[in-house]
Amino acid sequence: MTDTLAGGATPQNSQHTNDEARARLRKRYAAESRFKWLGAGAVLLSAFFLLLLLSTIVFKAFPAFHANQLTLPLNLSAENVDPDNLTGSNYDTIVNDALLSLFPQVEGRQERRQVRGLVSSGAPTLVRQALQNGSLQPGGTVDHAVPMDDFSDLYLKGLLAADSTETTVETLQNVAIDGAEATLSFSDDSLLQTARAAGAVEEDAGALRLTTGASSIIAYLGDGAVKLTAVEPGDTGVVARGSILSPVVAEAGGPVRLRVIATPEGQRKISDREIVWVDQLEADGRTASAWNTQFLFGGASREAEMAGIWGAVVGSALTMLVTLALSFPIGVSAAIYLEEFAPKNRLTGFIEVNINNLAAVPSIVFGLLGLAVFLNWFNLPRSAPLVGGMVLALMTLPTIIIASRAALRAVPPSIREAALGVGASKIQTVFHHVLPLAMPGILTGTIIGMAQALGETAPLLMIGMVAFIVDIPGGFTSPATVLPVQIFMWADFPEPAFQQKTSAAILILLGFLVLMNAVAVVLRKRFERRW
């Protein structure tokens, strides 16, 4: 625009070009700019929180997908295992004997029980299953890998006692052994400073005592290990006393490796003695990390290292099949009738309003409805995919009906008029022309409704799908649980290993949801028509 008129005349001071108009224009531009920046900020903030959530889940879930196994020399000779009666053998004894053979120095009852706790309590069952399925053959002593206990596994993954430091002391002069106690003599006093930093208690004459509230100091002498309990000044240096965790050689010399574990032993899930044993097994090459097939293909268990997600995956799949089989035909049929055939009167208006309201009803209300109708009235089995699918179908129906009606309404009226114009009946018009064109939108709405149902927990809790189910469900009426309920249960367990499994199960559930949404996108792109 220009302020010069034709013929060189000076323009009048218009309300659109004066200073006030320019000020209003600048104000509108500034408002638009602020709105754009606020929108971009909202998107970035949402992306940041989403990235933070996903990265946290992935970081916590990653350790659950691999597990440490311990290779044991199992004695499967005819004396212990009868090839004709594999279920009649005592596999607990076989596993315990093999484990104790790796620690011949262990004699006390308490220590023997600690050694047995290094492997999973489900190891005997896995050995029996390996013999039954032929992956392990009886006869003689055979090396076989079994899962380690969850705390030993977490320690090897660096998730327990990770706050430790190591130093080397070159001034060891002498080692004296008295039963289960050892006395170490050093020519310098640097160990005093280490003990003070570990929280040792000061006593008379400069002596230091490492109580249960102090950090652990473990002295490694070759293959042996001593947990220090007291340090005091000596004639020519420092004298340290402690309990023998692994046999040491008297009069030994050479460098000593000092390991200081900051977390006191009483505040850890793994003791100093177990740490020394696990380190010894790792140094002997008997531990190895592998894919956690027990988690991926196992059922539920109270033992963290034996708990698997496959039972919940199968339960979710069966439940979704029932939900789809019920909600899709009923929902689409209702949408077709209401949109194409139903008269426009007060009754249909009342039904439409209530369908829209049902879409906003809390999901637990549908659970209460399922509990009252399907379980208490029809006496259908509890904790079964059949009932779970029926409850979720009730919850998904309004979503499918609303999405289907919107898809049918989006088909141009000219399609219907053309079909009717060439002599097609109303039903032929709907099912031969309108419904195929609306199907992409109907499928998209259905899959989104199914994805919502897959993540629901509250209604399934009401019908008993929170029950502890060990076996993999074999049918629609078998006891089962589903992924969100399994996550809910694991999140409530106090064992640290279940934290990783909870995050891993969330990842698998998110994978299900992403897959279902991807299918919706593909179907929409494949059948989409532009008018």
Side-chain angles (χ1 to χ4, degrees):
M1 297 181 62
T2 176
D3 293 339
T4 303
L5 299 177
T10 302
Q12 298 294 324
N13 189 14
S14 171
Q15 60 177 349
H16 301 295
T17 58
N18 58 18
D19 293 341
E20 293 181 356
R22 293 191 182 94
R24 289 195 299 270
L25 186 61
R26 287 195 297 271
K27 188 176 180 180
R28 289 201 301 271
Y29 286 164
E32 290 180 6
S33 178
R34 287 196 301 272
F35 180 77
K36 290 179 181 177
W37 280 109
L38 287 174
V43 171
L44 291 176
L45 187 62
S46 302
F48 169 75
F49 282 114
L50 179 61
L51 184 63
L52 180 64
L53 174 65
L54 291 178
S55 61
T56 303
I57 293 175
V58 171
F59 179 76
K60 288 185 177 179
F62 182 73
F65 290 103
H66 64 95
N68 286 283
Q69 296 181 326
L70 176 63
T71 302
L72 293 177
L74 301 176
N75 185 358
L76 303 178
S77 62
E79 182 181 354
N80 293 332
V81 179
D82 182 2
D84 297 328
N85 184 21
L86 294 177
T87 59
S89 302
N90 189 342
Y91 295 102
D92 289 324
T93 302
I94 294 174
V95 171
N96 291 336
D97 290 346
L99 188 56
L100 290 171
S101 69
L102 302 178
F103 301 96
Q105 74 279 7
V106 174
E107 296 179 350
R109 182 178 179 182
Q110 179 69 19
E111 292 183 2
R112 292 169 68 87
R113 188 169 64 181
Q114 281 186 306
V115 169
R116 289 195 293 269
L118 295 179
V119 299
S120 170
S121 60
T125 302
L126 296 179
V127 172
R128 175 178 54 79
Q129 292 175 351
L131 286 167
Q132 289 176 328
N133 62 30
S135 60
L136 184 62
Q137 298 297 326
T141 300
V142 181
D143 284 341
H144 184 69
V146 297
M148 300 191 72
D149 178 67
D150 56 338
F151 294 128
S152 301
D153 179 53
L154 291 176
Y155 170 72
L156 288 174
K157 290 175 180 175
L159 301 177
L160 290 180
D163 53 347
S164 64
T165 57
E166 291 188 0
T167 58
T168 302
V169 180
E170 303 281 355
T171 58
L172 177 65
Q173 292 180 318
N174 186 34
V175 178
I177 299 175
D178 183 12
E181 302 292 327
T183 302
L184 314 180
S185 301
F186 297 90
S187 60
D188 68 359
D189 59 355
S190 61
L191 190 57
L192 288 172
Q193 184 177 359
T194 303
R196 289 192 181 94
V201 178
E202 297 277 356
E203 294 187 333
D204 297 337
L208 300 174
R209 183 163 56 90
L210 291 158
T211 62
T212 55
S215 302
S216 296
I217 301 179
I218 302 175
Y220 291 89
L221 296 81
D223 293 334
V226 177
K227 178 183 178 181
L228 303 185
T229 56
V231 181
E232 60 185 26
D235 296 335
T236 59
V238 168
V239 176
R241 297 182 177 83
S243 304
I244 298 176
L245 302 181
S246 182
V248 297
V249 179
E251 308 296 337
V256 175
R257 182 165 58 92
L258 287 180
R259 182 180 183 183
V260 180
I261 303 175
T263 304
E265 184 177 13
Q267 301 177 14
R268 282 186 263 118
K269 297 295 184 182
I270 186 169
S271 66
D272 293 329
R273 192 180 298 277
E274 290 170 326
I275 287 176
V276 171
W277 288 340
V278 173
D279 287 341
Q280 180 181 339
L281 293 172
E282 185 180 23
D284 294 340
R286 289 196 169 273
T287 63
S289 180
W291 278 103
N292 194 351
T293 55
Q294 185 63 31
F295 168 70
L296 296 175
F297 303 108
S301 174
R302 298 288 184 189
E303 303 295 333
E305 69 278 2
M306 296 295 295
I309 197 67
W310 187 242
V313 172
V314 175
S316 292
L318 294 175
T319 303
M320 288 298 103
L321 285 176
V322 175
T323 303
L324 180 64
L326 293 177
S327 62
F328 182 73
I330 296 176
V332 174
S333 300
I336 292 174
Y337 176 76
L338 291 173
E339 192 64 30
E340 302 291 341
F341 297 99
K344 305 301 180 184
N345 52 31
R346 290 186 177 182
L347 177 61
T348 55
F350 177 76
I351 293 174
E352 291 174 2
V353 169
N354 280 279
I355 289 175
N356 293 332
N357 290 334
L358 281 175
V361 170
S363 58
I364 195 168
V365 175
F366 292 98
L368 291 171
L369 177 64
L371 174 65
V373 176
F374 301 134
L375 298 185
N376 295 339
W377 192 4
F378 291 108
N379 292 320
L380 293 175
R382 296 178 67 91
S383 308
L386 176 63
V387 180
M390 295 169 73
V391 171
L392 294 180
L394 290 176
M395 192 195 70
T396 311
L397 265 177
T399 303
I400 294 179
I401 293 174
I402 293 171
S404 300
R405 292 192 66 190
L408 292 169
R409 200 178 301 123
V411 177
S414 58
I415 300 296
R416 298 176 178 82
E417 295 168 358
L420 294 172
V422 297
S425 66
K426 182 70 174 177
I427 290 180
Q428 287 175 324
T429 300
V430 172
F431 285 93
H432 294 180
H433 301 280
V434 178
L435 184 60
L437 295 175
M439 191 54 71
I442 294 175
L443 291 176
T444 301
T446 301
I447 294 176
I448 291 175
M450 295 291 294
Q452 179 189 2
L454 178 63
E456 283 294 341
T457 305
L460 302 179
L461 297 179
M462 301 304 300
I463 59 170
M465 296 200 78
V466 71
F468 183 75
I469 309 298
V470 177
D471 297 328
I472 307 298
F476 293 106
T477 57
S478 301
T481 186
V482 292
L483 278 170
V485 176
Q486 188 68 74
I487 293 170
F488 173 78
M489 294 171 63
W490 282 352
D492 199 37
F493 287 171
E495 287 83 353
F498 276 114
Q499 298 176 9
Q500 286 83 40
K501 289 187 180 291
T502 301
S503 298
I506 291 174
L507 274 188
I508 293 175
L509 178 60
L510 289 177
F512 257 104
L513 296 174
V514 170
L515 179 63
M516 296 180 72
N517 283 283
V519 171
V521 172
V522 170
L523 289 176
R524 186 173 64 246
K525 293 292 183 184
R526 183 178 180 84
F527 299 105
E528 188 177 27
R529 295 286 184 89
R530 294 183 182 276
W531 312 103

